[in-house]
Amino acid sequence: MKIGIIKPDYKITGGFEVVVNRLKLELEICGHEVTIVYIDATDVSLKDIPYPITDDMYYKNPEFFKYINNFWKYKKMDVSRFDCVISTQPPSFAVEHPRHISLFYHHMKMYYDMSDLIQEVGLQQPFHRKSVEVIREIDTSSLNKVTSILAGSKTIKDRIARFNGITDQVDVIYAGINPHLYNFNGTVSYEYPIVVGRHEFPKRPELFVAAMKKIPNQIGKIVGSGGRTEDLKKIDQILTYSTNEGITISDNETWKQMSNGSFSENHENIFRMAKKKKYVSNVHFTGRVSDDELIEEYTRASCVVCPAFQEDYGLTAIEAMAFKKPIIACIDGGGYAELIEDGVNGFLVEPTSSSIAEAIEKLTTDKALATRMGNAAYETSRRYTWVNTIKKLNEHLIF
């Protein structure tokens, strides 16, 4: 079968890009001819919108019009050369084909599950509410034409029902993890807590930083990098100084304000004093790491903290579980929360630095508990194989 995977190209490599590349390989192993069709998602032109848009209109709401332009790109795309298409990130599901599977991992989140949050923290663009209304309408219209929607988690399936009112043609498919990680059989130890992932809003590594300040006798590591890394390092300095000087900074200030570069005059004053005082932080930043270095971090971690808000799936958690690591996730963690049986393979906690710190301390001070929960986490990870993923996908390819 000739299969086209329709993929927006954001010029980055994240968890979803890893999933798509692995999906292509697994389908080819099954004997299919697979082509990934990329569309430049960073394109800022509006040439595909079939009606005039003035510069003033665009600059008042650029993200909205970029989305609309991409929507029309997919809608006009000729994919007749394929026997089946698999669309991926929004709005690639606007592509039209009689045999169309949507591998659905998230909406354009600022217009859906993140809409209220971005308004709360002041990140919304003008006419946000109208943009939400328009985008939900066109997305729902497109998704209703899709043959099968394969949601990447129960969390995502619930969002599709909630926001688009679609339930009948929606199934859940869990992506497997890289077999290189899945088949690891080396030695593990339980030394220090880590956070792994891109530093973007609202992944909330800031809550991990704040949590570590409540257990200053322990070292924590932040593994990875992203668009918010420099702000995150600045937050670490501010919180290190504040902790040593008895200054209180709330969690909301930390992850809803400072994480987006919104440093108040008070925060800037603390930062200036922090640079002069030079207290030593108990949080270490690794920066971007290689695959081998990531494995090293997983093997040595006492636990892996996944503090993200409304995560779509939770691939990082499953990877960590494959190394027998207990997971700490938040009750509002979306896909992460699906994976955790509280007290068995990890802890589900309130999204506060105090709750995260308490869970970390339990695992770092009780190696027997960390080992027991890590073994349970390992058993959880065994469910998430590419064999199971492709088996589920093949059920929908035969229609």
Side-chain angles (χ1 to χ4, degrees), residues 174-175 177 182 313-314 317-327 335-342 344-346 372-385 388:
Y174 292 105
I177 62 173
Y182 191 86
Y313 175 29
I318 300 171
E319 288 181 352
M321 287 177 174
F323 291 88
K324 300 184 177 181
K325 302 302 175 177
I327 305 300
Y336 280 137
E338 283 184 38
L339 303 170
I340 308 306
E341 187 176 353
D342 186 42
V344 177
N345 59 3
R372 184 171 66 253
M373 294 179 75
N375 286 334
Y378 176 83
E379 294 304 320
T380 300
S381 75
R382 301 298 89 180
R383 306 172 197 162
Y384 300 93
T385 70
N388 291 337

mmCIF file of all heavy atoms in Angstrom, residues 174-175 177 182 313-314 317-327 335-342 344-346 372-385 388:
data_model
loop_
_atom_site.group_PDB
_atom_site.id
_atom_site.type_symbol
_atom_site.label_atom_id
_atom_site.label_comp_id
_atom_site.label_asym_id
_atom_site.label_seq_id
_atom_site.Cartn_x
_atom_site.Cartn_y
_atom_site.Cartn_z
ATOM 1 N N TYR A 174 -1.422 4.082 21.390
ATOM 2 C CA TYR A 174 -0.263 4.523 22.159
ATOM 3 C C TYR A 174 1.005 4.240 21.365
ATOM 4 O O TYR A 174 1.240 3.107 20.940
ATOM 5 C CB TYR A 174 -0.201 3.809 23.504
ATOM 6 C CG TYR A 174 -1.300 4.194 24.459
ATOM 7 C CD1 TYR A 174 -2.359 3.331 24.708
ATOM 8 C CD2 TYR A 174 -1.272 5.417 25.118
ATOM 9 C CE1 TYR A 174 -3.379 3.679 25.592
ATOM 10 C CE2 TYR A 174 -2.285 5.773 26.008
ATOM 11 C CZ TYR A 174 -3.325 4.899 26.239
ATOM 12 O OH TYR A 174 -4.329 5.252 27.107
ATOM 13 N N ALA A 175 1.824 5.265 21.173
ATOM 14 C CA ALA A 175 3.091 5.081 20.466
ATOM 15 C C ALA A 175 4.045 4.279 21.339
ATOM 16 O O ALA A 175 4.056 4.409 22.569
ATOM 17 C CB ALA A 175 3.705 6.425 20.112
ATOM 18 N N ILE A 177 8.026 3.149 22.438
ATOM 19 C CA ILE A 177 9.267 3.890 22.616
ATOM 20 C C ILE A 177 10.357 3.239 21.764
ATOM 21 O O ILE A 177 10.209 2.118 21.285
ATOM 22 C CB ILE A 177 9.698 3.957 24.092
ATOM 23 C CG1 ILE A 177 9.982 2.553 24.657
ATOM 24 C CG2 ILE A 177 8.641 4.670 24.917
ATOM 25 C CD1 ILE A 177 10.569 2.580 26.059
ATOM 26 N N TYR A 182 13.941 0.588 24.983
ATOM 27 C CA TYR A 182 13.035 -0.444 25.496
ATOM 28 C C TYR A 182 13.802 -1.696 25.911
ATOM 29 O O TYR A 182 13.428 -2.377 26.870
ATOM 30 C CB TYR A 182 12.017 -0.786 24.408
ATOM 31 C CG TYR A 182 10.864 -1.646 24.866
ATOM 32 C CD1 TYR A 182 9.733 -1.058 25.428
ATOM 33 C CD2 TYR A 182 10.903 -3.024 24.731
ATOM 34 C CE1 TYR A 182 8.665 -1.832 25.846
ATOM 35 C CE2 TYR A 182 9.845 -3.807 25.146
ATOM 36 C CZ TYR A 182 8.721 -3.204 25.701
ATOM 37 O OH TYR A 182 7.672 -3.979 26.113
ATOM 38 N N TYR A 313 0.629 13.139 25.708
ATOM 39 C CA TYR A 313 0.843 11.695 25.804
ATOM 40 C C TYR A 313 1.709 11.369 27.015
ATOM 41 O O TYR A 313 1.208 10.957 28.054
ATOM 42 C CB TYR A 313 1.468 11.195 24.493
ATOM 43 C CG TYR A 313 1.878 9.728 24.454
ATOM 44 C CD1 TYR A 313 1.208 8.769 25.215
ATOM 45 C CD2 TYR A 313 2.927 9.307 23.647
ATOM 46 C CE1 TYR A 313 1.596 7.431 25.169
ATOM 47 C CE2 TYR A 313 3.311 7.975 23.591
ATOM 48 C CZ TYR A 313 2.650 7.039 24.353
ATOM 49 O OH TYR A 313 3.030 5.726 24.300
ATOM 50 N N GLY A 314 3.008 11.548 26.934
ATOM 51 C CA GLY A 314 3.877 11.244 28.058
ATOM 52 C C GLY A 314 4.996 10.281 27.705
ATOM 53 O O GLY A 314 5.330 9.388 28.482
ATOM 54 N N ALA A 317 7.881 9.867 30.194
ATOM 55 C CA ALA A 317 7.607 9.016 31.352
ATOM 56 C C ALA A 317 7.794 7.545 31.011
ATOM 57 O O ALA A 317 8.365 6.778 31.795
ATOM 58 C CB ALA A 317 6.191 9.271 31.860
ATOM 59 N N ILE A 318 7.321 7.126 29.841
ATOM 60 C CA ILE A 318 7.448 5.719 29.456
ATOM 61 C C ILE A 318 8.910 5.356 29.236
ATOM 62 O O ILE A 318 9.363 4.275 29.631
ATOM 63 C CB ILE A 318 6.609 5.423 28.202
ATOM 64 C CG1 ILE A 318 5.132 5.716 28.473
ATOM 65 C CG2 ILE A 318 6.757 3.968 27.779
ATOM 66 C CD1 ILE A 318 4.261 5.668 27.244
ATOM 67 N N GLU A 319 9.665 6.264 28.626
ATOM 68 C CA GLU A 319 11.099 6.028 28.466
ATOM 69 C C GLU A 319 11.765 5.827 29.830
ATOM 70 O O GLU A 319 12.549 4.896 30.017
ATOM 71 C CB GLU A 319 11.755 7.210 27.746
ATOM 72 C CG GLU A 319 11.428 7.314 26.276
ATOM 73 C CD GLU A 319 12.116 8.494 25.617
ATOM 74 O OE1 GLU A 319 12.718 9.321 26.334
ATOM 75 O OE2 GLU A 319 12.045 8.597 24.383
ATOM 76 N N ALA A 320 11.448 6.713 30.767
ATOM 77 C CA ALA A 320 12.047 6.616 32.105
ATOM 78 C C ALA A 320 11.654 5.315 32.797
ATOM 79 O O ALA A 320 12.474 4.682 33.469
ATOM 80 C CB ALA A 320 11.618 7.817 32.942
ATOM 81 N N MET A 321 10.406 4.908 32.630
ATOM 82 C CA MET A 321 9.936 3.664 33.232
ATOM 83 C C MET A 321 10.703 2.458 32.702
ATOM 84 O O MET A 321 10.917 1.477 33.414
ATOM 85 C CB MET A 321 8.438 3.498 32.966
ATOM 86 C CG MET A 321 7.546 4.428 33.767
ATOM 87 S SD MET A 321 5.802 4.180 33.299
ATOM 88 C CE MET A 321 4.981 5.246 34.487
ATOM 89 N N ALA A 322 11.116 2.526 31.436
ATOM 90 C CA ALA A 322 11.883 1.425 30.851
ATOM 91 C C ALA A 322 13.219 1.243 31.557
ATOM 92 O O ALA A 322 13.830 0.170 31.471
ATOM 93 C CB ALA A 322 12.096 1.675 29.357
ATOM 94 N N PHE A 323 13.671 2.287 32.267
ATOM 95 C CA PHE A 323 14.912 2.219 33.043
ATOM 96 C C PHE A 323 14.629 2.009 34.538
ATOM 97 O O PHE A 323 15.473 2.274 35.384
ATOM 98 C CB PHE A 323 15.724 3.501 32.841
ATOM 99 C CG PHE A 323 16.275 3.638 31.456
ATOM 100 C CD1 PHE A 323 15.524 4.235 30.450
ATOM 101 C CD2 PHE A 323 17.527 3.149 31.139
ATOM 102 C CE1 PHE A 323 16.029 4.355 29.168
ATOM 103 C CE2 PHE A 323 18.041 3.270 29.856
ATOM 104 C CZ PHE A 323 17.284 3.872 28.860
ATOM 105 N N LYS A 324 13.414 1.554 34.833
ATOM 106 C CA LYS A 324 13.008 1.240 36.208
ATOM 107 C C LYS A 324 13.012 2.472 37.109
ATOM 108 O O LYS A 324 13.408 2.412 38.277
ATOM 109 C CB LYS A 324 13.888 0.146 36.804
ATOM 110 C CG LYS A 324 13.838 -1.159 36.022
ATOM 111 C CD LYS A 324 14.644 -2.267 36.692
ATOM 112 C CE LYS A 324 14.512 -3.575 35.913
ATOM 113 N NZ LYS A 324 15.265 -4.684 36.527
ATOM 114 N N LYS A 325 12.512 3.584 36.550
ATOM 115 C CA LYS A 325 12.462 4.814 37.326
ATOM 116 C C LYS A 325 11.024 5.178 37.684
ATOM 117 O O LYS A 325 10.141 5.227 36.802
ATOM 118 C CB LYS A 325 13.096 5.964 36.546
ATOM 119 C CG LYS A 325 14.534 5.688 36.153
ATOM 120 C CD LYS A 325 15.414 5.395 37.367
ATOM 121 C CE LYS A 325 16.806 4.995 36.961
ATOM 122 N NZ LYS A 325 17.708 4.768 38.116
ATOM 123 N N PRO A 326 10.740 5.445 38.960
ATOM 124 C CA PRO A 326 9.415 5.941 39.332
ATOM 125 C C PRO A 326 9.212 7.356 38.796
ATOM 126 O O PRO A 326 10.167 8.114 38.646
ATOM 127 C CB PRO A 326 9.444 5.925 40.865
ATOM 128 C CG PRO A 326 10.887 5.966 41.229
ATOM 129 C CD PRO A 326 11.642 5.309 40.113
ATOM 130 N N ILE A 327 7.967 7.689 38.512
ATOM 131 C CA ILE A 327 7.634 8.982 37.904
ATOM 132 C C ILE A 327 6.864 9.829 38.913
ATOM 133 O O ILE A 327 5.985 9.337 39.634
ATOM 134 C CB ILE A 327 6.757 8.782 36.650
ATOM 135 C CG1 ILE A 327 7.443 7.833 35.661
ATOM 136 C CG2 ILE A 327 6.444 10.131 35.990
ATOM 137 C CD1 ILE A 327 8.783 8.293 35.153
ATOM 138 N N GLY A 335 -1.805 13.426 29.770
ATOM 139 C CA GLY A 335 -1.323 12.099 29.406
ATOM 140 C C GLY A 335 -0.389 11.495 30.436
ATOM 141 O O GLY A 335 -0.375 10.268 30.628
ATOM 142 N N TYR A 336 0.404 12.315 31.113
ATOM 143 C CA TYR A 336 1.266 11.787 32.169
ATOM 144 C C TYR A 336 0.441 11.138 33.279
ATOM 145 O O TYR A 336 0.789 10.072 33.787
ATOM 146 C CB TYR A 336 2.125 12.905 32.771
ATOM 147 C CG TYR A 336 3.332 13.282 31.960
ATOM 148 C CD1 TYR A 336 3.668 14.617 31.765
ATOM 149 C CD2 TYR A 336 4.158 12.310 31.395
ATOM 150 C CE1 TYR A 336 4.793 14.987 31.029
ATOM 151 C CE2 TYR A 336 5.281 12.667 30.653
ATOM 152 C CZ TYR A 336 5.589 14.010 30.478
ATOM 153 O OH TYR A 336 6.688 14.357 29.748
ATOM 154 N N ALA A 337 -0.636 11.810 33.656
ATOM 155 C CA ALA A 337 -1.465 11.301 34.749
ATOM 156 C C ALA A 337 -2.094 9.958 34.406
ATOM 157 O O ALA A 337 -2.360 9.144 35.301
ATOM 158 C CB ALA A 337 -2.542 12.327 35.097
ATOM 159 N N GLU A 338 -2.335 9.717 33.115
ATOM 160 C CA GLU A 338 -2.884 8.422 32.683
ATOM 161 C C GLU A 338 -1.959 7.261 33.010
ATOM 162 O O GLU A 338 -2.399 6.137 33.237
ATOM 163 C CB GLU A 338 -3.092 8.403 31.161
ATOM 164 C CG GLU A 338 -4.286 9.127 30.654
ATOM 165 C CD GLU A 338 -4.422 8.946 29.141
ATOM 166 O OE1 GLU A 338 -4.139 7.828 28.655
ATOM 167 O OE2 GLU A 338 -4.776 9.920 28.467
ATOM 168 N N LEU A 339 -0.660 7.527 32.987
ATOM 169 C CA LEU A 339 0.337 6.472 33.092
ATOM 170 C C LEU A 339 0.662 6.082 34.530
ATOM 171 O O LEU A 339 1.262 5.035 34.763
ATOM 172 C CB LEU A 339 1.631 6.924 32.404
ATOM 173 C CG LEU A 339 1.522 7.337 30.939
ATOM 174 C CD1 LEU A 339 2.822 7.983 30.472
ATOM 175 C CD2 LEU A 339 1.181 6.139 30.064
ATOM 176 N N ILE A 340 0.272 6.932 35.479
ATOM 177 C CA ILE A 340 0.718 6.753 36.857
ATOM 178 C C ILE A 340 -0.378 6.148 37.721
ATOM 179 O O ILE A 340 -1.508 6.652 37.783
ATOM 180 C CB ILE A 340 1.156 8.099 37.468
ATOM 181 C CG1 ILE A 340 2.163 8.804 36.567
ATOM 182 C CG2 ILE A 340 1.733 7.878 38.872
ATOM 183 C CD1 ILE A 340 3.369 7.989 36.202
ATOM 184 N N GLU A 341 -0.024 5.074 38.403
ATOM 185 C CA GLU A 341 -0.861 4.529 39.472
ATOM 186 C C GLU A 341 -0.225 5.007 40.770
ATOM 187 O O GLU A 341 0.841 4.529 41.170
ATOM 188 C CB GLU A 341 -0.905 3.008 39.400
ATOM 189 C CG GLU A 341 -1.900 2.388 40.369
ATOM 190 C CD GLU A 341 -2.007 0.885 40.224
ATOM 191 O OE1 GLU A 341 -1.401 0.325 39.288
ATOM 192 O OE2 GLU A 341 -2.693 0.279 41.074
ATOM 193 N N ASP A 342 -0.875 5.970 41.392
ATOM 194 C CA ASP A 342 -0.280 6.677 42.522
ATOM 195 C C ASP A 342 0.161 5.718 43.620
ATOM 196 O O ASP A 342 -0.613 4.888 44.093
ATOM 197 C CB ASP A 342 -1.288 7.686 43.085
ATOM 198 C CG ASP A 342 -0.683 8.567 44.164
ATOM 199 O OD1 ASP A 342 0.463 9.007 43.992
ATOM 200 O OD2 ASP A 342 -1.356 8.809 45.196
ATOM 201 N N VAL A 344 2.255 3.339 43.315
ATOM 202 C CA VAL A 344 2.665 2.038 42.782
ATOM 203 C C VAL A 344 3.870 2.196 41.850
ATOM 204 O O VAL A 344 4.955 1.681 42.108
ATOM 205 C CB VAL A 344 1.498 1.337 42.052
ATOM 206 C CG1 VAL A 344 1.971 0.014 41.444
ATOM 207 C CG2 VAL A 344 0.343 1.105 43.005
ATOM 208 N N ASN A 345 3.681 2.924 40.735
ATOM 209 C CA ASN A 345 4.798 3.147 39.805
ATOM 210 C C ASN A 345 5.273 4.596 39.806
ATOM 211 O O ASN A 345 6.074 5.001 38.978
ATOM 212 C CB ASN A 345 4.419 2.718 38.387
ATOM 213 C CG ASN A 345 3.207 3.453 37.850
ATOM 214 O OD1 ASN A 345 2.660 4.332 38.517
ATOM 215 N ND2 ASN A 345 2.769 3.094 36.652
ATOM 216 N N GLY A 346 4.761 5.373 40.738
ATOM 217 C CA GLY A 346 5.124 6.774 40.854
ATOM 218 C C GLY A 346 4.163 7.491 41.767
ATOM 219 O O GLY A 346 3.342 6.866 42.462
ATOM 220 N N ARG A 372 11.388 -0.444 44.433
ATOM 221 C CA ARG A 372 10.115 -1.162 44.307
ATOM 222 C C ARG A 372 9.196 -0.474 43.302
ATOM 223 O O ARG A 372 8.616 -1.124 42.416
ATOM 224 C CB ARG A 372 9.440 -1.263 45.672
ATOM 225 C CG ARG A 372 8.155 -2.085 45.658
ATOM 226 C CD ARG A 372 7.634 -2.355 47.055
ATOM 227 N NE ARG A 372 7.199 -1.158 47.762
ATOM 228 C CZ ARG A 372 7.854 -0.598 48.762
ATOM 229 N NH1 ARG A 372 9.011 -1.108 49.181
ATOM 230 N NH2 ARG A 372 7.392 0.486 49.358
ATOM 231 N N MET A 373 9.081 0.836 43.416
ATOM 232 C CA MET A 373 8.225 1.577 42.492
ATOM 233 C C MET A 373 8.834 1.583 41.085
ATOM 234 O O MET A 373 8.104 1.553 40.081
ATOM 235 C CB MET A 373 8.009 3.005 42.991
ATOM 236 C CG MET A 373 7.206 3.055 44.288
ATOM 237 S SD MET A 373 6.958 4.744 44.905
ATOM 238 C CE MET A 373 5.716 5.329 43.789
ATOM 239 N N GLY A 374 10.165 1.586 41.012
ATOM 240 C CA GLY A 374 10.826 1.530 39.715
ATOM 241 C C GLY A 374 10.562 0.212 39.000
ATOM 242 O O GLY A 374 10.360 0.193 37.777
ATOM 243 N N ASN A 375 10.545 -0.866 39.739
ATOM 244 C CA ASN A 375 10.229 -2.167 39.140
ATOM 245 C C ASN A 375 8.797 -2.192 38.620
ATOM 246 O O ASN A 375 8.525 -2.754 37.548
ATOM 247 C CB ASN A 375 10.440 -3.283 40.163
ATOM 248 C CG ASN A 375 11.907 -3.567 40.420
ATOM 249 O OD1 ASN A 375 12.762 -3.326 39.562
ATOM 250 N ND2 ASN A 375 12.224 -4.061 41.607
ATOM 251 N N ALA A 376 7.884 -1.586 39.366
ATOM 252 C CA ALA A 376 6.490 -1.506 38.902
ATOM 253 C C ALA A 376 6.396 -0.622 37.658
ATOM 254 O O ALA A 376 5.621 -0.910 36.733
ATOM 255 C CB ALA A 376 5.597 -0.960 40.016
ATOM 256 N N ALA A 377 7.186 0.445 37.641
ATOM 257 C CA ALA A 377 7.202 1.328 36.465
ATOM 258 C C ALA A 377 7.709 0.576 35.240
ATOM 259 O O ALA A 377 7.190 0.740 34.127
ATOM 260 C CB ALA A 377 8.081 2.546 36.743
ATOM 261 N N TYR A 378 8.728 -0.241 35.432
ATOM 262 C CA TYR A 378 9.262 -1.048 34.337
ATOM 263 C C TYR A 378 8.171 -1.938 33.740
ATOM 264 O O TYR A 378 8.043 -2.052 32.509
ATOM 265 C CB TYR A 378 10.414 -1.903 34.856
ATOM 266 C CG TYR A 378 10.992 -2.852 33.833
ATOM 267 C CD1 TYR A 378 11.934 -2.414 32.909
ATOM 268 C CD2 TYR A 378 10.599 -4.186 33.795
ATOM 269 C CE1 TYR A 378 12.471 -3.284 31.967
ATOM 270 C CE2 TYR A 378 11.131 -5.063 32.863
ATOM 271 C CZ TYR A 378 12.062 -4.611 31.959
ATOM 272 O OH TYR A 378 12.584 -5.474 31.026
ATOM 273 N N GLU A 379 7.383 -2.577 34.586
ATOM 274 C CA GLU A 379 6.292 -3.430 34.101
ATOM 275 C C GLU A 379 5.270 -2.613 33.314
ATOM 276 O O GLU A 379 4.723 -3.080 32.309
ATOM 277 C CB GLU A 379 5.623 -4.154 35.264
ATOM 278 C CG GLU A 379 6.526 -5.162 35.970
ATOM 279 C CD GLU A 379 7.084 -6.211 35.015
ATOM 280 O OE1 GLU A 379 6.333 -6.674 34.128
ATOM 281 O OE2 GLU A 379 8.264 -6.573 35.148
ATOM 282 N N THR A 380 5.017 -1.389 33.748
ATOM 283 C CA THR A 380 4.115 -0.506 33.006
ATOM 284 C C THR A 380 4.667 -0.225 31.615
ATOM 285 O O THR A 380 3.938 -0.258 30.616
ATOM 286 C CB THR A 380 3.915 0.828 33.750
ATOM 287 O OG1 THR A 380 3.361 0.583 35.042
ATOM 288 C CG2 THR A 380 2.978 1.762 32.976
ATOM 289 N N SER A 381 5.973 0.008 31.526
ATOM 290 C CA SER A 381 6.583 0.362 30.233
ATOM 291 C C SER A 381 6.484 -0.761 29.214
ATOM 292 O O SER A 381 6.521 -0.516 28.014
ATOM 293 C CB SER A 381 8.057 0.743 30.436
ATOM 294 O OG SER A 381 8.872 -0.402 30.659
ATOM 295 N N ARG A 382 6.354 -2.006 29.677
ATOM 296 C CA ARG A 382 6.293 -3.152 28.759
ATOM 297 C C ARG A 382 5.044 -3.133 27.876
ATOM 298 O O ARG A 382 4.981 -3.853 26.886
ATOM 299 C CB ARG A 382 6.312 -4.469 29.531
ATOM 300 C CG ARG A 382 7.530 -4.712 30.423
ATOM 301 C CD ARG A 382 8.831 -4.761 29.639
ATOM 302 N NE ARG A 382 9.461 -3.449 29.495
ATOM 303 C CZ ARG A 382 10.593 -3.230 28.851
ATOM 304 N NH1 ARG A 382 11.234 -4.230 28.281
ATOM 305 N NH2 ARG A 382 11.105 -2.025 28.764
ATOM 306 N N ARG A 383 4.051 -2.338 28.226
ATOM 307 C CA ARG A 383 2.817 -2.283 27.427
ATOM 308 C C ARG A 383 2.993 -1.438 26.160
ATOM 309 O O ARG A 383 2.177 -1.529 25.244
ATOM 310 C CB ARG A 383 1.677 -1.666 28.244
ATOM 311 C CG ARG A 383 1.424 -2.331 29.593
ATOM 312 C CD ARG A 383 0.414 -1.498 30.379
ATOM 313 N NE ARG A 383 0.405 -1.831 31.800
ATOM 314 C CZ ARG A 383 -0.112 -1.061 32.753
ATOM 315 N NH1 ARG A 383 -0.663 0.106 32.418
ATOM 316 N NH2 ARG A 383 -0.082 -1.440 34.012
ATOM 317 N N TYR A 384 4.040 -0.607 26.133
ATOM 318 C CA TYR A 384 4.132 0.414 25.090
ATOM 319 C C TYR A 384 5.211 0.048 24.081
ATOM 320 O O TYR A 384 6.319 0.583 24.096
ATOM 321 C CB TYR A 384 4.383 1.785 25.723
ATOM 322 C CG TYR A 384 3.281 2.166 26.668
ATOM 323 C CD1 TYR A 384 3.377 1.878 28.023
ATOM 324 C CD2 TYR A 384 2.108 2.759 26.198
ATOM 325 C CE1 TYR A 384 2.342 2.201 28.894
ATOM 326 C CE2 TYR A 384 1.069 3.075 27.063
ATOM 327 C CZ TYR A 384 1.199 2.791 28.399
ATOM 328 O OH TYR A 384 0.165 3.097 29.266
ATOM 329 N N THR A 385 4.871 -0.890 23.199
ATOM 330 C CA THR A 385 5.800 -1.349 22.172
ATOM 331 C C THR A 385 5.289 -0.954 20.799
ATOM 332 O O THR A 385 4.078 -0.781 20.592
ATOM 333 C CB THR A 385 5.954 -2.883 22.217
ATOM 334 O OG1 THR A 385 4.722 -3.483 21.768
ATOM 335 C CG2 THR A 385 6.263 -3.362 23.627
ATOM 336 N N ASN A 388 2.707 -3.389 19.353
ATOM 337 C CA ASN A 388 1.314 -3.098 19.704
ATOM 338 C C ASN A 388 0.779 -1.898 18.932
ATOM 339 O O ASN A 388 -0.390 -1.868 18.527
ATOM 340 C CB ASN A 388 1.190 -2.849 21.212
ATOM 341 C CG ASN A 388 1.420 -4.103 22.030
ATOM 342 O OD1 ASN A 388 1.268 -5.209 21.532
ATOM 343 N ND2 ASN A 388 1.789 -3.934 23.294
#
